[in-house]
Amino acid sequence: AIETSCDETGVAILDCSGGLARPQFKIRANAITTQIELHKEFGGVVPNIAKREHIKHLPILLIEALNKAGIKNPAEEIDALAVTVGPGLEPALWAGITFAQELAQDWKLPVVASNHMEGHIAAILLPTDAKSKIKNEKVSFPAIATLVSGGHTELVLIKNWLDYKVIGETVDDAAGEAFDKVARMLDLPYPGGPEISRLATTGNRYAHSFPRPMINTKNYNFSFSGLKTSVLYTLRDFKTKHIAYTKNDIAASFEEAVVDVLLFKTLRAIKEHNAQTLILGGGVAANARLRSSMQIAAKKIGARIHLPALKLTTDNAAMIAASAYFHTEKNDFTNWKKLSAHGTMPL
Ligand code: KG4
Ligand code: ZN
């Protein structure tokens, strides 16, 4: 599988078994390179720089992955290819697609056109790394997936693998985007999520009462733009009035507001849909406070929770291979000549 939707370039090779009833995976190789350092000076991902870097790194990562997996003759030993076609930055997606097209042609392999968000869902099925054993995850449906990344915040009702219904989403900023923007206000480097969560560990979560936007609305939608603006105004006020504050308290109080909203709506969705299972996915699922709050809450209401391995929460190609396996089981392949990037591809 090939992943190039944002600023991580990934090539992964997985052994897949068990069918849709019990999908199981062994990671043979999960080669990845991040461009974070390059985009840092711009405070966010620049699509054309991302594309250029993906093109540069893909052949190197492919060789690394083939070597790691001990594959000498890919045309014989690999059964299918997968490539992320959306959602994501279109120039970046095209880099992966063009590369996959060359491989499909050379190796004469069928291709799955993968959805990045489905990859974040499938990440819960993956073992931590190539050395660890197959993860023995049996997922009971219906499940609610809370997907929180840099570009998306979605609540998904999953009746089975391949049967997804987005029941709620953000009406403005994504959760990860809010983390990144608040980090910038605090002069912290990109990506802001890990920086905020690091500061938050020693901050007071109740120092500032930031709003919990849309927490009481009847739908499952989210809004993080107002929360972000509230942090901005608070900081502005403190600065003009020379009131002392710590970045740690701001980070902790902001993080708590995000976690509260995500938790509240997720729990309501679980109850109202009689879901047995909670799945957490996307880069923000690396957040320790979010993980532990969701774990505690799921236990309280008797729902089983599945979290992705920490290493596999942010973008990688292993999760794309895992989700593509569902599609191979249904012979859902796309002619490589017809592959194309869909920046806003829905689940
Ligand atoms: O899924 P991902 O790697 O890329 C997209 O598909 O967007 O998610 C990246 C996002 C970034 O916004 C980053 O700040 C956020 O995930 N993130 C975190 C943490 N680690 C990454 N947010 C909060 N806490 C974290 N520990
Ligand atoms: Zn992602």
Side-chain angles (χ1 to χ4, degrees):
I2 292 155
E3 156 65 37
T4 63
S5 68
C6 193
D7 57 352
E8 252 90 31
T9 320
V11 177
I13 302 172
L14 268 66
D15 284 338
C16 311
S17 60
L20 286 172
R22 191 85 189 225
Q24 290 185 321
F25 304 96
K26 183 173 187 321
I27 300 176
R28 299 266 300 265
N30 187 25
I32 189 156
T33 178
T34 180
Q35 309 169 5
I36 284 176
E37 286 306 317
L38 266 179
H39 297 288
K40 239 176 199 170
E41 67 172 295
F42 303 100
V45 182
V46 185
N48 278 315
I49 295 181
K51 178 182 180 167
R52 185 193 72 196
E53 292 300 305
H54 288 314
I55 293 171
K56 195 161 91 188
H57 291 291
L58 278 168
I60 303 164
L61 292 174
L62 175 67
I63 292 168
E64 183 188 326
L66 289 171
N67 285 343
K68 184 100 194 273
I71 291 180
K72 300 222 163 43
N73 186 354
E76 295 293 319
E77 294 173 65
I78 293 175
D79 299 312
L81 296 170
V83 61
T84 306
V85 299
L89 305 168
E90 289 201 0
L93 290 163
W94 271 115
I97 291 172
T98 314
F99 191 68
Q101 285 174 318
E102 285 170 24
L103 299 184
Q105 207 178 353
D106 286 356
W107 297 343
K108 302 195 171 40
L109 291 176
V111 187
V112 175
S114 291
N115 183 301
H116 182 80
M117 300 315 287
E118 190 179 11
H120 277 304
I121 294 172
I124 57 148
L125 297 170
L126 295 174
T128 315
D129 54 41
K131 276 183 235 97
S132 51
K133 288 201 190 93
I134 288 171
K135 196 171 178 181
N136 196 17
E137 295 283 287
K138 170 80 180 140
V139 178
S140 307
F141 297 107
I144 293 290
T146 303
L147 303 182
V148 275
S149 70
H152 293 81
T153 302
E154 291 177 338
L155 280 188
V156 188
L157 173 63
I158 308 179
K159 293 203 176 139
N160 209 332
W161 300 122
L162 300 170
D163 184 354
Y164 315 106
K165 188 178 171 205
V166 177
I167 57 171
E169 61 196 338
T170 181
V171 297
D172 41 54
D173 292 350
E177 192 179 355
F179 269 95
D180 295 337
K181 285 178 176 169
V182 167
R184 211 178 307 164
M185 291 174 203
L186 296 173
D187 297 318
L188 301 168
Y190 173 84
E195 299 287 331
I196 297 252
S197 70
R198 188 176 51 81
L199 289 188
T201 53
T202 50
N204 176 357
R205 303 185 175 279
Y206 311 103
H208 310 284
S209 57
F210 293 129
R212 271 72 173 152
M214 292 182 75
I215 198 161
N216 288 317
T217 54
K218 289 222 155 54
N219 56 32
Y220 298 112
N221 288 341
F222 301 94
S223 164
F224 293 105
S225 166
L227 168 58
K228 169 197 74 187
T229 312
S230 173
V231 176
L232 181 71
Y233 289 162
T234 302
L235 287 171
R236 218 180 258 172
D237 205 36
F238 286 168
K239 279 173 192 160
T240 50
K241 291 181 184 156
H242 302 289
I243 298 170
Y245 67 91
T246 68
K247 288 185 186 183
N248 304 62
D249 285 352
I250 298 274
S253 303
F254 162 76
E255 185 179 79
E256 197 66 2
V258 176
V259 171
D260 267 359
V261 181
L262 290 172
L263 193 64
F264 192 83
K265 293 240 161 163
T266 301
L267 292 180
R268 225 186 63 214
I270 291 175
K271 281 185 197 148
E272 286 175 13
H273 291 89
N274 286 320
Q276 317 201 9
T277 303
L278 164 58
I279 291 171
L280 198 58
V284 183
N287 186 277
R289 181 73 174 175
L290 181 64
R291 288 171 90 92
S292 63
S293 304
M294 289 273 187
Q295 272 170 320
I296 293 165
K299 198 170 176 193
K300 240 186 217 165
I301 61 165
R304 174 99 203 268
I305 183 166
H306 299 266
L307 300 168
L310 258 189
K311 262 188 173 169
L312 299 168
T313 53
T314 45
D315 294 349
N316 62 83
M319 69 182 198
I320 301 303
S323 66
Y325 176 58
F326 305 151
H327 293 267
T328 63
E329 286 294 284
K330 295 273 179 195
N331 274 318
D332 178 16
F333 297 106
T334 301
N335 184 322
W336 64 262
K337 289 179 193 151
K338 296 205 173 120
L339 289 170
S340 112
H342 301 281
T344 57
M345 185 183 190
L347 245 181

